[in-house]
Structure formats: structure tokens, C-alpha cells
């Protein structure tokens, strides 16, 4: 076997380079692999290719930008493409509330930046004791040191020396934990960061939770951050989930769908009030990344927004969300392995159990994912579940195709279990 030179994420080295997992090309909703198979993508890449692979308009916009100004920096300078993309993002999120955009290069780096921003904000408004950042247990915010600390799922933070002393985690489904924490440490809390739908397991925050969060924010004054890295850009049928919250976040973090997965891009869309604190004190925020907000990235952002409008993607996502709900509910109702559904819109998880009612262990979920792939579709594993995050452009026939792959995959898995007994 030839040596593999690229390190695959979340894969044991012994499994690097398997031909049925080595992709060679992708178009629309399909990915082709080195073993010749062509599979239906039910993961939208890594939840970022919302409009499908190889989108011509975005490709053309990036190519044009590369020719006009292949690179311009935001480090000690500004540039027009960044200004245009930032204005478009503020316009989308609401210019009545948001003031400015800080570009970054990944969800993780953006979460690092937001934690720095929150702490810096409190320094300049005279509450330097506000250092704590609160996240939700089971959440995922990334794997750089800052974002890894905030990630509320145990992914081995301890082993990597991730410092969580300034971090607190509370339940996503019981606001009383946050209330108790704030009662104890409220004056030290700089920010509360929440995903509208927790990526791991696709657990959506209940409306009551968000309403209570809004009240607690009023009472305790922390900054509220919506991590919409995964939910932003149409996943739940609107540009942002938080636009329907009873409170507007102080910072809205977006990434994945922002460029339809074409560029390493993320953005902090920051409220005018937070910007004003920096403006009034003329404070320099010490953050900057060489590739953040480059002209090709900004062109990709603008082209993605235009394509979403012209192709009526939000409406398509709402329709697809309805189709998925019906089809998955049907599967859940008549398949003994399905213990439940979670998520909303086009961000769903199918929770699985064994014949004895126990939830599936990680190795068993991995086997289901393999069986679904053998049946023709790419899905991701989650905690005792498989996650379904399809491109927003699926046709109804592709929903049926996915359901058939799921059914055949589950049947394959059940067969294995019976064989082993
Ligand atoms: N935040 C959320 C909600 C995410 O889903 C992710 C990635 O899945 C991240 C942050 C980290 O993003 P990235 O992988 O671009 O660093």
C-alpha cells in the first residue's frame, strides 16, 4: 500500500486512505470515490455545501476575484471587497441591530475571536472581572484551544491540556442550571455562547429555553453569542435561526454555508452596541488572520447570498424540511431500530437502539454509517444516532432515495447483529 501523506480528521491512521472513503470529485448532490462508487451526499460536505457541489456562479465569482485582486489584507489596511461582503452580512442579519463584521477563517477561529472580543469588551466598559464564558454541555464549538475549551462534548480536552478554568457548561434543556450558575457567578460571566441546534445529536433549543435566556441576559448583563456556524445560511429555512429569537444576540457567528464550502471563511457579525464600546475608546482589538476576508472569500460570500436569493433556497429548504419530517417520521414509526428523531428543518438526527432497547455504542453507529454507505448514501455518525444534513437543493426523489438507503443500511446492520448472536 502506498503511504498516505494526508492526515484524515477523526480517522485512525490504520484506516487512512481506504478507497471507498477517498473522494475524487463532487457535483450537485453526489460525491464520487476512488473505488468508482458515486454516493448521495446527506452531509452537505461537512454541513457547508448547502447549495450543492460545483456551483457555477460561486466558482465564477471566485475566479473573477482571483484575477482582479488575488489577495488584499485586512491587517493594518482595509479593502473594498471586504467592505461589500461585510455590508451584505450586516444587511442580512439586520442593520438596525448589527454594526460591523470581523472576518475569520473557520468556525473554531471565530469562536476563539468571540471569546477574546467578549473579554476585551468588558475590559473597556469597566468590568474587567467578567472573564467566564458559558457554553452548553454536549455542544461543539471547534477544536482550537479556545473553542475546544468551550466545546461541551468530552473529546479528550484534558489530554491536550485545554484550559477550561474560565469556562462553565450548563444543560441545554434545563435553564435552571444556567440560572443557578448566574446566581453564583453572574458578575464574572462575560458571555454565554449557544448553538440554536446542538450539532452533536441535533438537539434544538426549545423556544422557552431561549425566552428564559433572554430574561437572564437582561438580569445579568452578559453578552449573548449565537454560534450559527452550522445553522446559519438556510439550514433551518431562514438565513439565521436567531433572527426569530426574543433577544438579538450581541454577536452572531457564521461559517460553513457562508461560502457554500468554497473558502476557509467565517465571520463575527457584531452588534452596533458592542462596536460602539470599541469606537468610543478607540480600542484596538488584537485579532487578525492572514487569509481572513480575502477578496476571493468575499466574492464567494456575495455570490452565495445572491445565489440563495435567486434560487429561492430558503423556500426550498423549508419544503425539504417538511419532506424530511414526513419521511423520517414514517421511518421512525415503523422501524424497530429507530428510537426517536431530533433536530429541525434540514438538520436532523435519527436516534438508534438495539433489539434490547439499549442505545447504540459509537462502534455500532459506525457500522450503521458503513451499511448506509454500502446502500448508496453518505451520512455522519452522532452520539447513538446518525445525522442527516442534506444539501438544501435535494429533490423529492432524492429524499426517497435517501430513505431507501437508510432502510437498507439499517436492515444490513440488523442482519449483522443477528448473525453475531
Ligand atoms: N461551531 C459549530 C456550531 C460547529 O458546528 C462547528 C463545526 O462543526 C464549529 C463551530 C467549528 O468550525 P470549524 O470546523 O470550521 O472550525
Amino acid at each position: 500500500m502506498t503511504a498516505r501523506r494526508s492526515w484524515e480528521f477523526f480517522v485512525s491512521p490504520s484506516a487512512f486512505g481506504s478507497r471507498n472513503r477517498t473522494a475524487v470529485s463532487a457535483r450537485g448532490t453526489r460525491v464520487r470515490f476512488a473505488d468508482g462508487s458515486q454516493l448521495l451526499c446527506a452531509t452537505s460536505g461537512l454541513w457547508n455545501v448547502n447549495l450543492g457541489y460545483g456551483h457555477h456562479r460561486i466558482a465564477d465569482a471566485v475566479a473573477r476575484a482571483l484575477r482582479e485582486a488575488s489577495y488584499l489584507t485586512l491587517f493594518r489596511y482595509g479593502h473594498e471587497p471586504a467592505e461589500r461582503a461585510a455590508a451584505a452580512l450586516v444587511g442580512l442579519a439586520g442593520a438596525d441591530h448589527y454594526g460591523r463584521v470581523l472576518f475569520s477563517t473557520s468556525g473554531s477561529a471565530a469562536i476563539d475571536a468571540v471569546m477574546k472580543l467578549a473579554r476585551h469588551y468588558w475590559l473597556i466598559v469597566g468590568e474587567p472581572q467578567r472573564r467566564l464564558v458559558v457554553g452548553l454541555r454536549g455542544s461543539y464549538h471547534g477544536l482550537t484551544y479556545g473553542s475546544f475549551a468551550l466545546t461541551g462534548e468530552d473529546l479528550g480536552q484534558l489530554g491536550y491540556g485545554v484550559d477550561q478554568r474560565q469556562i462553565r457548561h450548563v444543560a441545554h434543556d434545563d435553564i435552571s442550571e444556567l440560572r443557578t450558575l448566574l446566581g453564583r457567578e453572574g458578575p464574572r460571566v462575560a458571555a454565554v455562547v449557544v448553538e440554536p441546534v446542538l450539532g452533536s445529536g441535533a438537539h434544538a433549543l426549545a423556544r422557552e429555553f431561549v425566552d428564559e435566556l433572554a430574561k437572564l441576559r437582561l438580569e445579568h448583563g452578559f453578552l449573548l453569542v449565537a454560534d450559527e456556524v452550522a445553522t446559519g445560511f438556510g439550514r433551518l429555512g431562514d438565513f439565521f435561526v436567531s433572527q426569530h429569537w426574543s433577544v438579538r444576540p450581541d454577536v452572531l457567528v457564521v461559517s460553513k454555508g457562508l461560502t457554500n464550502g468554497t473558502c476557509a471563511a467565517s465571520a463575527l457579525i457584531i452588534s452596533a452596541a458592542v462596536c460602539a464600546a470599541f469606537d468610543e475608546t478607540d480600542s484596538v482589538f488584537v485579532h487578525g488572520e492572514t487569509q481572513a476576508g480575502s477578496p476571493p472569500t468575499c466574492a464567494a460570500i456575495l455570490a452565495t447570498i445572491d445565489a440563495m436569493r435567486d434560487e429561492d433556497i430558503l423556500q426550498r429548504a423549508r419544503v425539504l424540511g417538511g419532506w424530511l419530517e414526513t419521511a423520517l417520521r414514517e421511518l421512525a414509526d415503523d422501524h424497530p431500530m429507530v428510537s426517536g428523531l431530533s433536530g429541525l428543518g434540514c438538520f436532523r438526527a435519527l436516534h438508534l437502539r438495539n433489539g434490547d432497547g439499549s442505545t447504540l455504542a459509537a462502534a455500532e453507529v459506525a457500522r450503521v454509517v458503513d451499511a448506509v454507505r454500502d446502500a448508496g448514501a453518505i451520512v455522519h455518525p452522532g452520539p447513538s444516532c446518525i445525522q442527516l444534513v442534506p444539501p438544501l437543493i435535494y429533490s423529492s426523489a432524492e429524499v426517497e432515495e435517501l430513505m431507501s438507503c437508510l432502510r437498507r443500511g439499517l436492515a444490513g446492520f440488523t442482519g449483522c447483529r443477528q448473525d453475531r448472536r
Side-chain angles (χ1 to χ4, degrees), residues 46-47 105-111 139-144 147 151 194-200 227-231 253 255-256 265-266 347:
L46 194 47
W47 312 356
T105 50
S106 71
S108 302
I111 293 295
S139 62
Y140 184 86
H141 297 287
L143 296 173
T144 51
S147 63
T151 288
V194 298
E195 292 168 272
V197 178
L198 274 73
S200 303
D227 179 349
E228 296 227 39
V229 164
T231 55
V253 183
S255 182
K256 297 192 182 277
S266 60
F347 196 177

Side-chain angles (χ1 to χ4, degrees), residues 90-227:
V90 168
L92 273 189
D96 57 324
H97 176 73
Y98 293 99
R100 204 173 280 147
V101 169
L102 183 102
F103 289 105
S104 180
T105 50
S106 71
S108 302
I111 293 295
D112 284 9
V114 95
M115 290 165 70
K116 286 163 60 184
L117 185 82
R119 288 175 179 149
H120 194 157
Y121 169 83
W122 289 113
L123 277 180
I124 59 185
V125 301
E127 294 195 47
Q129 81 288 354
R130 285 195 185 260
R131 313 291 290 163
L132 299 179
V133 180
V134 181
L136 300 176
R137 244 190 327 276
S139 62
Y140 184 86
H141 297 287
L143 296 173
T144 51
Y145 270 92
S147 63
F148 202 7
L150 187 62
T151 288
E153 189 184 351
D154 181 0
L155 292 171
Q157 282 90 331
L158 202 60
Y160 291 101
V162 172
D163 187 348
Q164 294 184 303
R165 284 173 299 179
Q166 306 265 33
I167 301 291
R168 301 287 183 272
H169 288 115
V170 294
H172 79 273
D173 53 358
D174 178 4
I175 196 74
S176 70
E177 273 196 33
L178 178 60
R179 192 177 296 118
T180 305
L181 173 76
L182 291 167
R184 205 173 51 235
E185 303 194 87
R188 295 180 56 224
V189 173
V192 175
V193 185
V194 298
E195 292 168 272
V197 178
L198 274 73
S200 303
H203 299 292
L205 296 188
R207 153 108 2 226
E208 304 76 55
F209 183 95
V210 176
D211 290 347
E212 287 301 311
L213 185 57
K215 287 188 202 150
L216 290 172
R217 184 187 171 286
L218 267 184
E219 213 177 302
H220 294 275
F222 53 81
L223 296 183
L224 177 61
V225 179
D227 179 349

Side-chain angles (χ1 to χ4, degrees), residues 19 56 90 106 178 188 196 217 221 306 312 320-321 372 414 421:
R19 285 175 64 74
H56 283 226
V90 168
S106 71
L178 178 60
R188 295 180 56 224
R217 184 187 171 286
D306 287 346
D312 208 7
L320 175 57
V372 174
T414 309
R421 278 189 189 138

Side-chain angles (χ1 to χ4, degrees), residues 34-48:
D35 66 350
S37 59
Q38 175 156 301
L39 305 185
L40 178 66
C41 174
T43 60
S44 302
L46 194 47
W47 312 356
N48 50 355

